Amino acid sequence: MTTPTETQDSRTVILTDFAATKVKALLEQEGRDDLRLRIAVQPGGCSGLRYQLFFDERSLDGDVVNDFGGVEVVVDRMSAPYLTGATIDFADRIDAQGFTIDNPNAGGSCACGDSFH
């Protein structure tokens, strides 16, 4: 098993404090302390690329790991260039609820906001 690359100076993604609190609550519900939030970019969606957020216990070769107050966010090496500078937040409003991604690298997105190019 390889060790993920630790980056503290240049964060691939930014997890807001509110999103980190939500992730911690979800991890507590899972009852596991070996999971980290993984964000990846995969082909698909209306605009060509789509985000995937999920809990993962794996460590992949070339992973970039950032710690946000005890919440580890992992990005694989193929997704990292697409996500550098992206901010992950959590919306909890009457008109929207869930994780949101503000990505300065996206040239455009679809109307539903689930994919980008």
Side-chain angles (χ1 to χ4, degrees):
M1 181 178 276
T2 59
T3 304
T5 304
E6 295 288 337
T7 61
Q8 297 301 332
D9 297 329
S10 60
R11 296 186 184 270
T12 304
V13 296
I14 300 159
L15 187 68
T16 67
D17 291 342
F18 190 59
T21 299
K22 185 63 176 178
V23 171
K24 284 180 186 178
L26 291 169
L27 287 171
E28 287 175 10
Q29 286 179 355
E30 290 291 321
R32 294 178 57 183
D33 60 2
D34 63 332
L35 297 175
R36 302 182 288 179
L37 180 65
R38 182 175 290 276
I39 179 170
V41 173
Q42 299 291 322
C46 309
S47 296
L49 297 171
R50 63 186 173 91
Y51 300 111
Q52 287 189 323
L53 269 72
F54 56 96
F55 292 125
D56 196 4
E57 72 275 355
R58 298 172 300 156
S59 291
L60 305 175
D61 187 31
D63 274 352
V64 178
V65 181
N66 293 131
D67 186 273
F68 298 90
V71 174
E72 288 187 336
V73 178
V74 182
V75 179
D76 65 87
R77 68 176 169 200
M78 299 300 286
S79 298
Y82 296 103
L83 295 168
T84 299
T87 301
I88 303 169
D89 198 3
F90 189 82
D92 192 8
R93 304 182 312 262
I94 194 165
D95 64 333
Q97 186 173 31
F99 288 97
T100 62
I101 300 172
D102 180 17
N103 189 348
N105 303 303
S109 64
C110 63
C112 67
D114 289 335
S115 68
F116 70 100
H117 65 270

